[in-house]
Amino acid sequence: MLAGTLETEDARYRLHEFVRQYAAERLERSGEGPSRQSLHSSWYCDRAELLDPDRGEPLVGEPSRWFAVERENLRVAMANALEGRPERALVAAVSAWRSWMASGRHAEGLQWLRRALAASPEVSPVHVRALFATAVFEVRVGRMEEGLPLGRSIAEIGHRDEDPLRRADAAHLQCLLSWLAAEWETINELLDAADADLHHVPPVQAAHDHLGALVALSRGDPDTALSWLERSLGWLAASPRDTPPFFPVCTLAFSVGRYEELNLPIFEETMLVGRRVGAAQAEAYVMCTVAFAARAGGRFSDAAKALDRALRVFQSLGDRAGEAFALAQRGHLHRALGELAAAIDCFHQSADLRADIPDQRGSAMSLSGLALAEAARGNLTTARGFAGEAARMLDRSGDRPGLSGALDNLAAIEIISGRFDHAVQAVERLLALRAVPDFHRSVGWNHLLLAQLRDRTRDTVGAEAAFRAARTVFDQIGERHGLAAVENAAAAR
């Protein structure tokens, strides 16, 4: 036997390939091969279900290290289950998907979920979870438009479900995936139509009103967003604490800053984080969105209070992923206020927590924020190093929207450095990635930044084209802040 790992708690050994082949051949000859494979498959699929981090407990933790240690055994088990018991393979894939996501194995997770869904035509409650997990991976790899058919499938299953919580949940998830796909022409109608399924289901109504706040923020309206968030917190207060996970964690992803009259889109967090949490954790995440909306409206003291409250909740629950999320948001607040030492400290704490979980995407988010704070402090070489590492981490995992956002922050660092030509190249590259739909909010702000940068580099024809593109995106969304910024920038030329 060869040692796979000798760590005390997780010591594992593996057979040499020649020995493995010989043993398999002997089992086959004895006629025991299929029964042994079935026992192996059943044990690992059952164990995965038992360790499912989203198995219904109201307090949602991170995936067990077991999934990483036993990854190869689980692959074999699911492959065997697909042939005889595909519904068990689907349960195992749904149980493992967050482990694949945390380790940046998006393509692998997507493959297993797609295969298990195709082999399990009989609809069950686990199908909605599998479809949502599939949508998260599709978003990660830059195919947000795939969320639309997945959202419709989720809604169709929900319409046939007699359980009011699951029916409401399905209606809400369709709206969420439509927002991610930038379906601005229909999002208002979908939000209104979903209300019929949300009556008397406070938990999902809380998630739905939180989405209403994100739609308002997408349109540059923080005051309306804060009204939605107040309603969301009210619904959460009325929700039973033991409600199974119902709140999909999502964010606006980008803030907009200013530097020497340039509008800088700043990538702060993933739009669809990939966690679904219960009422207590949901309250803390809503408070983080309250902080974001308050910061967008210039109410920095309110933002700080909201983040302090969120941090206290996450810490009291022992939720390290939530704590790291709130610390990163605290870092961005300090960065926006020019409190750079405090910002750097928050980003370091967030990065340490995420590395310990481990959460590869989250680690990249914290590093990218740290890079911006170091750049603002004048440590440009250090900043480029952190930003480059964040971009490489996201690129290796196939996270195209994440890579696009990391390039945004690299462009901001180059602008702070005074290297406008390099910033132009970064923005042109991220727009060429087509990692998000053309009418996504971030695309409008990137076109506007590109227009201003081209003006700085005396490319007036290119600047005019970028101004037109920005205006088109903001018109489609109804983004008032963006439209005002385009007009102000154009008037200042």
Side-chain angles (χ1 to χ4, degrees), residues 351-365:
D352 289 345
L353 282 168
R354 285 166 159 170
D356 188 54
I357 287 173
D359 174 5
Q360 181 172 299
R361 175 207 59 82
S363 296
M365 299 296 103

Side-chain angles (χ1 to χ4, degrees), residues 74-225:
L74 190 56
R75 287 172 181 147
V76 173
M78 287 190 296
N80 288 327
L82 281 172
E83 295 181 6
R85 300 177 65 199
E87 72 284 352
R88 296 305 299 156
L90 183 62
V91 168
V94 167
S95 301
W97 81 271
R98 286 187 54 218
S99 176
W100 287 317
M101 185 183 68
S103 58
R105 297 174 182 270
H106 304 144
E108 179 177 359
L110 187 56
Q111 179 193 42
W112 281 113
L113 286 162
R114 288 287 193 188
R115 288 177 64 188
L117 280 165
S120 307
E122 187 175 346
V123 173
S124 65
V126 77
H127 271 69
V128 169
R129 291 186 57 205
L131 290 167
F132 179 70
T134 302
V136 174
F137 282 127
E138 292 287 12
V139 168
R140 284 279 192 274
V141 300
R143 293 196 293 261
M144 291 188 180
E145 68 283 355
E146 290 296 321
L148 295 175
L150 289 165
R152 286 192 291 269
S153 296
I154 289 171
E156 288 168 7
I157 293 172
H159 289 323
R160 300 193 296 270
D161 201 314
E162 295 182 359
D163 182 275
L165 179 62
R166 290 199 296 264
R167 187 167 59 248
D169 184 49
H172 167 65
L173 290 179
Q174 182 187 19
C175 296
L176 173 59
L177 294 173
S178 297
W179 170 68
L180 287 165
E183 287 292 296
W184 299 108
E185 293 183 358
T186 60
I187 189 62
N188 288 342
E189 290 80 0
L190 280 172
L191 288 169
D192 291 341
D195 280 338
D197 290 309
L198 267 58
H199 289 314
H200 311 300
V201 189
V204 184
Q205 187 69 65
H208 205 59
D209 287 351
H210 179 259
L211 176 58
L214 293 176
V215 171
L217 285 170
S218 297
R219 290 171 168 156
D221 189 354
D223 290 334
T224 297

Side-chain angles (χ1 to χ4, degrees), residues 455-485:
D455 266 343
R456 294 282 180 106
T457 56
R458 296 182 174 80
D459 178 6
T460 55
V461 174
E464 189 57 44
F467 273 122
R468 286 196 301 272
R471 190 178 289 109
T472 299
V473 174
F474 292 141
D475 271 331
Q476 179 76 12
I477 299 172
E479 221 278 40
R480 298 184 300 181
H481 181 199
L483 287 169

Side-chain angles (χ1 to χ4, degrees), residues 422-490:
H422 289 77
V424 168
Q425 292 169 15
V427 178
E428 287 177 340
R429 182 185 169 195
L430 71 88
L431 286 170
L433 276 174
R434 302 295 291 275
V436 295
D438 286 347
F439 290 110
H440 235 280
R441 173 178 176 270
S442 64
V443 174
W445 285 103
N446 276 304
H447 279 306
L448 176 55
L449 175 59
L450 184 58
Q452 294 178 292
L453 287 171
R454 283 174 172 169
D455 266 343
R456 294 282 180 106
T457 56
R458 296 182 174 80
D459 178 6
T460 55
V461 174
E464 189 57 44
F467 273 122
R468 286 196 301 272
R471 190 178 289 109
T472 299
V473 174
F474 292 141
D475 271 331
Q476 179 76 12
I477 299 172
E479 221 278 40
R480 298 184 300 181
H481 181 199
L483 287 169
V486 169
E487 298 309 317
N488 290 338

